[in-house]
Amino acid sequence: MNTEWINVGAVVNFAKDLGCCVKVNGRQIAVFNLSENNQWYAVQNLCPHDKRMVLSRGIIGDKEGEPKVTCPLHKNSFSLKNGKHVSEGDVDDITTYPIKVKDGDVFLQVVV
Amino acid sequence: MNQKNIIVIGNGMVGYKFCERLSNKDTKQQFKIITFCEERRPAYDRVRLSAYFEGKTAEDLSMASIDWYKERNIDLYLEDKIISIDRVNKTVTSIKGKTLSFDKIVMATGSSPFVPPVPGIDKAGVFVYRTIEDLEEIIAYAKKCKTCVVIGGGLLGLEAAKAAQELGLKTEVVEFAPRLMPRQVDDAGGEMLKRLIETQGMTVNLNKNTKNIVGDASVTAMEFNDDSVINTDMIIISAGIRPRDDLARASGITVGTRGGVLVNSSLKTSDDNIYAIGECVVYGDMIYGLVAPGFIMADAVVEQLTGNSAATFTGADMSTKLKLMGTDVASFGDIEPQDKSCQDLVLNNPYTGVYKKLLISADGNTLLGGVLVGDASEYGSLLQIYQNKMQLPADPMSLILPRNDDAESGIGIGDLPDTAHICSCENVTKGDVLDAIKNQDCDSVSAVKSYTKAGTGCGGCVPMLTDLYQYKMAEDGIEVSNALCEHFDLSREEMYQVVRATGINTFADLIAQHGKGTGCEICKPTAGSIFASVFNEPILNHASLQDSNDAFLANIQQDGTYSVIPGIPGGEITPDMLMVIAQVGKDFDLYTKITGGQRIDLLGARLDQLPAIWKILINAGFKSGHAYGKSLRTVKSCVGSTWCRYGVQDSTSLAIELEIRYRGLRSPHKIKGAVSGCTRECAEAQCKDFGVIATEKGWNLYVCGNGGIKPRHADLLASDIDKDTVIKYIDRFLMYYIKTADRLQRTANWMMKLPGGLDHLKAVVIDDSLAINSELEAQMQHVVDTYECEWTNTLNDPEKLKRFKHFINSDDQDETVQFTREREQIRPLQHSGKALK
């Protein structure tokens, strides 16, 4: 399985403590730039509960120290670290993607 | 099946309670219950009769619906009454000619108002105060009156006086005795009560004996034995009750020397097959004119019928606590010393309007009784001490002294024995409540209430029930916390106070100084809302704190698209402006719909389309409608006196003025308002957070109504006030709500949990009891002065606009958003995944 690091734009394009959606090889990926320890996270943009492309528009926070995003539609929360569904109810986990910052640009690793 | 016929004569509160208890207990279905009710409606809550004037309906007051009787197979005969009992052949006959055989009779005929035999008492304009029909007649007659005199300064008389005052009548109370509520309070307590009542604009006349009622066909004045005269347009008599014993007398059943159906401790009359319960009864020379003893009697008879022949009634406690015109009045046990040896402890504070007296045995160990006026918050614990003959603390004064928060009161709820009565209406003990929590999984006060029925009668025990629940939770180590979330130990109200007091205006500072972690979907929007309420900056200055809708200044829909709602203050719009909306709808192919708040909703806009749509709307003169925010939504109106032939004030202009004044105001939850131009109430103001209804003399202001999940009729805050006062009161009310409510708590829910309820709110908003009104008004003025259209602000800020794109690295649209068409407009295409769910 081949993977590739894809440049998704300059760091300055990504607002702090907010989500953004990037398009990578036709795929929608939500990117989060957290000011806490300057951490970056990437997860699928699709909320598995109602199958809508909205997670990048969710509010971010933490559950017992673990960073999470909360879907704007029905408030399902997912760990940004490992994609696990961390709120109440029976909802699938989500996919996470490796992410790194190099020379002022943001890169995502995806299967090609 | 061979059932025994039980005929319950009278379907008042006690008669109903008997039906309920017997049908619950009669699991073997030995009994067929048949009940006669002479009124049009089955039993209703007569104790709360005056709530009818505050907008409660007959249904609200009803104890149970007609269906309830059907479900329990109880035969209910409305508008019919038993007029004779044939004790030999064991049959009863009703006024409508129905004859039924009986095995047992339970007389619950209640009482009738005592009407003093004064000349002229039969004139038009003289009323009694007992049934819903009486109230309806009073309301109808009051329309042509300006003044009212209530004869009787007892409990019911004062209730009636309050009702008359609510009808807009200048009201006086006339009492024969030298003090108000002679049965419940002593002289000094009565004096305090009189002063508290008179501060509310009502005149109280004591030692007055009515001699004559003056008037041609209808009443115009009253003359008294002291030769004084009071002019009045109407009279309400509430001079005590007389037990209704006429049927008993006619049937040869023994009655008391001063009236009342005589019963023994088994509640049997002189006929072994006939019981009597409630206010028609005389037992031990006493008539029990309260509902709780009636319920206890009902219980005792049910017990006997279902096999516990030992169940008896041996008198009941006449302790009582009530609220009269916003004033607490309570008494228990003796109200006057019964002999010289007992001691009294008195706290009499004219400055705070509080009077408390305790009667204590000579040895200082036992509480014999007491009177509380102005503040009865200790009633529950004092009653327990009295009823359970608990040992008093060394200084019993500590029981009634104003309590510091950090000082423990003398006796806690934990000290009560399990047999202590928590709810006397429903006969629920402390042990019953603890059992409900422990063994019945009741995990909230409301669960305990619905399981045990405690607190569902007069409601007076709810504070104690809540204390008991919290005590039990604390004892079990279960914390009942009002902390917002794992990041803040503060409640929303406390967070608001921190922000106001410190001026902290960033979430980073707030969580660093008062919380922990990085925040979440609970605390961030709460802080964002508080910042907006306090500082009124555009909310996208704190974009990372905004939740679903606020994050993009639009309402997110199930498919991830948004709706656009331009503000249309008061629902007034020109054809030209309508055409702008129509053109936007056509150009962007949006689904258009009229909202419930007199606006137009444009749905199906993609995130990237929002700025372009709003640019057109704003250039045409629209402003954000804040339909996405926990903020003022709309102030709905009718066309008022401008067009309507019934309108008495210009409701449209006021609605527009109010909507413009409060637009953009951020609050714990959404706020809706309405203004109606007359009492026909076409704008539905009484189901709004604030509602204004025009009167001939000005405006009536209602607050804390709600449609939605749990509809709630708004409360009347003030009547016949002018426009400036309307605005002043709404300013104060809204800011007080914003200051104290929990997150996502609508005003209706806030009111239901507000300690002191409407009386407290009136005291704060009208009388400035907390001395915060100038602060509340200044805060509101700040919000009004700094109003800025959020969409205009965003369109002028390239940084904010950056987020209104689906992809940060591409100009493509989100191809997963797809529509189909229905009735010539777009609708979201159901996602296959959604269809499966």
Side-chain angles (χ1 to χ4, degrees):
Chain A
M1 192 168 62
N2 291 324
T3 60
E4 196 179 333
W5 285 97
I6 310 267
N7 186 333
V8 293
V11 167
V12 291
N13 291 346
F14 295 84
K16 284 266 186 207
D17 295 318
L18 288 165
C20 295
C21 181
V22 295
K23 195 170 188 180
V24 181
N25 296 349
R27 205 172 304 189
Q28 296 196 19
I29 297 176
V31 174
F32 300 92
N33 170 9
L34 274 57
S35 53
E36 172 95 355
N37 301 326
N38 202 24
Q39 289 291 314
W40 289 76
Y41 296 97
V43 301
Q44 69 185 54
N45 195 33
L46 184 86
C47 177
H49 166 240
D50 223 1
K51 310 278 191 290
R52 299 296 182 181
M53 290 292 185
V54 291
L55 286 182
S56 59
R57 290 178 249 163
I59 197 163
I60 53 187
D62 75 86
K63 181 176 178 160
E64 289 152 19
E66 176 122 339
K68 65 171 187 177
V69 60
T70 302
C71 177
L73 290 177
H74 302 97
K75 306 272 179 276
N76 286 291
S77 296
F78 304 91
S79 163
L80 291 175
K81 272 192 173 159
N82 55 29
K84 286 236 180 307
H85 175 243
V86 294
S87 48
E88 283 171 21
D90 182 21
V91 175
D92 291 344
D93 298 339
I94 56 173
T95 304
T96 59
Y97 298 88
I99 185 166
K100 69 180 179 186
V101 174
K102 197 179 163 192
D103 301 333
D105 281 340
V106 180
F107 293 84
L108 290 180
Q109 190 182 36
V110 293
V111 176
V112 290
Chain B
M1 195 186 312
N2 197 9
Q3 284 186 315
K4 287 184 175 155
N5 274 0
I6 305 283
I7 300 203
V8 183
I9 304 177
N11 187 249
M13 293 176 80
V14 171
Y16 156 78
K17 189 56 69 176
F18 175 83
C19 294
E20 182 199 74
R21 294 277 164 82
L22 182 60
S23 60
N24 282 347
K25 196 115 195 183
D26 179 27
T27 45
K28 295 182 207 145
Q29 301 191 330
Q30 300 175 65
F31 301 108
K32 169 73 188 174
I33 307 173
I34 301 154
T35 180
F36 281 80
C37 176
E38 66 178 355
E39 289 191 50
R40 267 196 289 143
R41 304 176 177 85
Y44 51 87
D45 189 348
R46 241 186 266 280
V47 176
R48 293 194 303 140
L49 203 54
S50 63
Y52 195 70
F53 288 93
E54 293 155 10
K56 290 270 184 283
T57 62
E59 286 77 60
D60 291 335
L61 295 180
S62 173
M63 306 293 292
S65 66
I66 288 174
D67 286 342
W68 180 90
Y69 294 88
K70 285 188 189 140
E71 282 159 19
R72 289 172 182 238
N73 199 23
I74 297 171
D75 290 350
L76 167 69
Y77 292 95
L78 288 176
E79 293 184 89
D80 198 0
K81 68 173 187 176
I82 299 299
I83 47 164
S84 69
I85 302 173
D86 180 342
R87 289 162 52 201
V88 178
N89 295 308
K90 293 185 83 175
T91 61
V92 293
T93 303
S94 80
I95 197 162
K96 288 188 177 168
K98 199 153 206 66
T99 298
L100 296 168
S101 66
F102 69 85
D103 293 288
K104 301 279 180 197
I105 285 177
V106 177
M107 298 184 94
T109 47
S111 64
S112 54
F114 168 65
V115 178
V118 174
I121 201 94
D122 52 350
K123 289 190 196 303
V126 183
F127 299 89
V128 294
Y129 189 85
R130 173 85 185 162
T131 65
I132 288 181
E133 279 74 19
D134 294 336
L135 263 57
E136 283 170 345
E137 286 174 21
I138 289 170
I139 291 170
Y141 195 85
K143 291 202 171 101
K144 49 186 180 181
C145 298
K146 290 202 165 57
T147 53
C148 177
V149 171
V150 175
I151 302 180
L155 163 56
L156 261 181
L158 294 179
E159 285 274 334
K162 175 184 174 223
Q165 208 178 32
E166 297 232 329
L167 290 173
L169 305 176
K170 178 102 186 61
T171 305
E172 295 196 33
V173 175
V174 169
E175 166 62 45
F176 173 72
R179 66 172 184 246
L180 289 173
M181 298 188 70
R183 282 165 178 277
Q184 282 88 7
V185 302
D186 60 350
D187 282 339
E191 187 54 33
M192 179 68 78
L193 181 61
K194 175 171 183 280
R195 281 180 32 198
L196 292 172
I197 286 172
E198 288 188 329
T199 57
Q200 299 187 30
M202 196 177 290
T203 312
V204 176
N205 306 280
L206 301 174
N207 294 310
K208 268 216 185 307
N209 197 359
T210 312
K211 183 168 73 181
N212 186 29
I213 292 172
V214 187
D216 293 332
S218 52
V219 52
T220 55
M222 298 168 71
E223 292 171 354
F224 300 94
N225 276 355
D226 58 5
D227 291 335
S228 60
V229 173
I230 298 178
N231 292 321
T232 185
D233 300 332
M234 68 185 284
I235 296 172
I236 302 175
I237 300 171
S238 184
I241 55 165
R242 291 292 177 269
R244 290 183 60 179
D245 56 13
D246 40 341
L247 178 65
R249 281 176 198 272
S251 312
I253 292 167
T254 312
V255 296
T257 45
R258 287 181 295 138
V261 184
L262 201 61
V263 295
N264 62 17
S265 60
S266 302
L267 294 156
K268 282 182 178 163
T269 65
S270 54
D271 184 322
D272 242 18
N273 291 315
I274 301 179
Y275 295 87
I277 57 177
E279 289 182 343
C280 64
V281 162
V282 59
Y283 171 79
D285 246 7
M286 270 279 281
I287 287 164
Y288 291 87
L290 290 175
V291 71
F295 287 0
I296 294 171
M297 294 182 204
D299 260 347
V301 177
V302 168
E303 287 290 321
Q304 288 175 49
L305 290 175
T306 52
N308 177 9
S309 56
T312 55
F313 176 82
T314 52
D317 184 38
M318 293 297 274
S319 305
T320 179
K321 175 188 167 191
L322 42 115
K323 211 172 193 71
L324 281 168
M325 295 190 259
T327 301
D328 278 345
V329 180
S331 66
F332 54 92
D334 297 337
I335 59 174
E336 303 280 9
Q338 298 299 306
D339 62 65
K340 288 220 172 77
S341 67
C342 93
Q343 319 174 49
D344 57 358
L345 258 178
V346 177
L347 189 154
N348 192 352
N349 185 341
Y351 300 102
T352 54
V354 172
Y355 172 82
K356 299 176 183 177
K357 179 170 91 171
L358 297 183
L359 290 172
I360 292 167
S361 63
D363 58 11
N365 284 336
T366 318
L367 186 59
L368 302 173
V371 176
L372 307 168
V373 177
D375 170 19
S377 48
E378 295 96 357
Y379 171 74
S381 54
L382 291 172
L383 183 65
Q384 295 297 345
I385 295 170
Y386 162 71
Q387 287 179 337
N388 297 296
K389 298 188 169 48
M390 292 166 71
Q391 169 74 41
L392 286 172
D395 177 12
M397 195 71 176
S398 66
L399 297 172
I400 53 171
L401 280 175
R403 207 184 299 168
N404 296 325
D405 283 345
D406 46 13
E408 287 290 316
S409 71
I411 289 178
I413 194 146
D415 299 330
L416 296 176
D418 277 2
T419 51
H421 271 96
I422 300 297
C423 173
S424 41
C425 297
E426 294 290 335
N427 204 6
V428 180
T429 64
K430 178 182 170 186
D432 296 335
V433 172
L434 294 180
D435 173 71
I437 297 171
K438 198 170 153 204
N439 300 325
Q440 308 298 334
D441 295 333
C442 293
D443 57 0
S444 65
V445 175
S446 57
V448 174
K449 278 170 77 174
S450 70
Y451 181 77
T452 61
K453 294 205 136 199
T456 58
C458 72
C461 66
V462 173
M464 171 165 282
L465 191 62
T466 308
D467 281 352
L468 179 56
Y469 178 77
Q470 286 173 348
Y471 164 81
K472 176 71 180 150
M473 289 294 114
E475 195 185 59
D476 293 353
I478 300 165
E479 202 170 324
V480 188
S481 163
N482 60 0
L484 264 183
C485 64
E486 65 175 86
H487 304 102
F488 286 91
D489 289 336
L490 306 172
S491 65
R492 182 201 167 272
E493 181 178 359
E494 289 161 346
M495 184 184 278
Y496 177 90
Q497 284 165 350
V498 165
V499 170
R500 282 273 303 161
T502 62
I504 288 175
N505 63 357
T506 67
F507 187 74
D509 286 349
L510 187 64
I511 200 163
Q513 293 174 34
H514 297 277
K516 55 179 182 286
T518 62
C520 67
E521 76 282 5
I522 308 285
C523 58
K524 281 181 166 182
T526 304
S529 164
I530 290 173
F531 291 150
S533 293
V534 173
F535 307 111
N536 205 32
E537 288 174 79
I539 59 163
L540 289 191
N541 290 9
H542 299 280
S544 69
L545 304 183
Q546 308 306 332
D547 208 357
S548 315
N549 294 343
D550 283 326
F552 295 96
L553 306 180
N555 294 53
I556 193 165
Q557 304 298 315
Q558 50 110 327
D559 63 344
T561 65
Y562 290 88
S563 85
V564 170
I565 303 186
I568 302 178
E572 180 183 274
I573 187 164
T574 64
D576 283 340
M577 294 293 261
L578 269 179
M579 283 165 72
V580 173
I581 295 180
Q583 199 62 49
V584 167
K586 272 178 86 84
D587 290 351
F588 290 85
D589 194 16
L590 303 173
Y591 170 79
T592 58
K593 189 175 187 305
I594 311 290
T595 72
Q598 302 187 332
R599 314 201 275 192
I600 297 169
D601 202 350
L602 301 158
L603 292 105
R606 296 189 315 266
L607 180 61
D608 57 287
Q609 293 176 314
L610 290 173
I613 292 170
W614 274 105
K615 198 166 182 186
I616 297 167
L617 293 171
I618 282 171
N619 285 341
F622 283 108
K623 291 191 158 48
S624 168
H626 297 100
Y628 45 81
K630 307 299 181 213
S631 56
L632 179 84
R633 296 290 175 85
T634 67
V635 181
K636 191 174 174 179
S637 74
C638 63
V639 294
S641 56
T642 318
W643 289 94
C644 178
R645 66 189 195 283
Y646 299 115
V648 293
Q649 307 277 357
D650 181 359
S651 50
T652 317
S653 294
L654 181 58
I656 292 170
E657 184 175 345
L658 292 175
E659 184 164 331
I660 289 176
R661 181 170 181 82
Y662 302 118
R663 67 185 170 192
L665 172 68
R666 292 280 159 169
S667 44
H669 209 312
K670 63 186 170 187
I671 300 171
K672 298 179 178 183
V675 184
S676 279
C678 78
T679 184
R680 285 168 187 75
E681 241 284 69
C682 295
E684 297 164 336
Q686 290 163 104
C687 65
K688 299 289 188 278
D689 298 279
F690 63 86
V692 187
I693 302 176
T695 69
E696 298 280 351
K697 297 177 227 162
W699 305 94
N700 283 352
L701 174 58
Y702 288 83
V703 294
C704 302
N706 195 7
I709 302 177
K710 200 160 180 279
R712 179 177 192 273
H713 194 290
D715 295 311
L716 180 62
L717 186 76
S719 318
D720 292 327
I721 52 178
D722 62 15
K723 192 190 84 179
D724 290 346
T725 311
V726 168
I727 291 173
K728 192 164 70 179
Y729 286 177
I730 299 177
D731 277 7
R732 295 170 179 177
F733 158 66
L734 288 178
M735 267 302 163
Y736 188 54
Y737 160 65
I738 289 169
K739 180 182 160 76
T740 56
D742 199 358
R743 62 181 279 275
L744 303 184
Q745 187 176 40
R746 291 289 296 270
T747 58
N749 196 269
W750 170 72
M751 167 60 92
M752 287 189 279
K753 298 198 172 138
L754 189 66
L758 179 63
D759 293 321
H760 169 75
L761 185 65
K762 280 183 177 171
V764 172
V765 169
I766 299 171
D767 306 326
D768 202 9
S769 61
L770 299 179
I772 55 171
N773 281 347
S774 56
E775 183 189 332
L776 298 177
E777 285 171 29
Q779 275 173 266
M780 185 63 85
Q781 198 55 47
H782 171 75
V783 171
V784 172
D785 293 343
T786 53
Y787 166 76
E788 186 177 1
C789 167
E790 287 169 352
W791 264 109
T792 309
N793 172 277
T794 301
L795 291 173
N796 290 329
D797 187 336
E799 274 303 308
K800 286 176 185 160
L801 283 177
K802 268 189 185 172
R803 297 195 66 231
F804 290 87
K805 273 185 81 182
H806 192 78
F807 298 110
I808 201 166
N809 62 342
S810 160
D811 289 332
D812 289 352
Q813 296 168 10
D814 177 10
E815 75 275 13
T816 66
V817 171
Q818 288 180 355
F819 302 107
T820 177
R821 298 193 90 80
E822 185 177 67
R823 294 184 294 275
E824 298 173 54
Q825 298 206 71
I826 60 162
R827 56 159 290 171
L829 190 65
Q830 294 292 313
H831 194 281
S832 58
K834 188 180 174 75
L836 288 172
K837 287 232 163 215

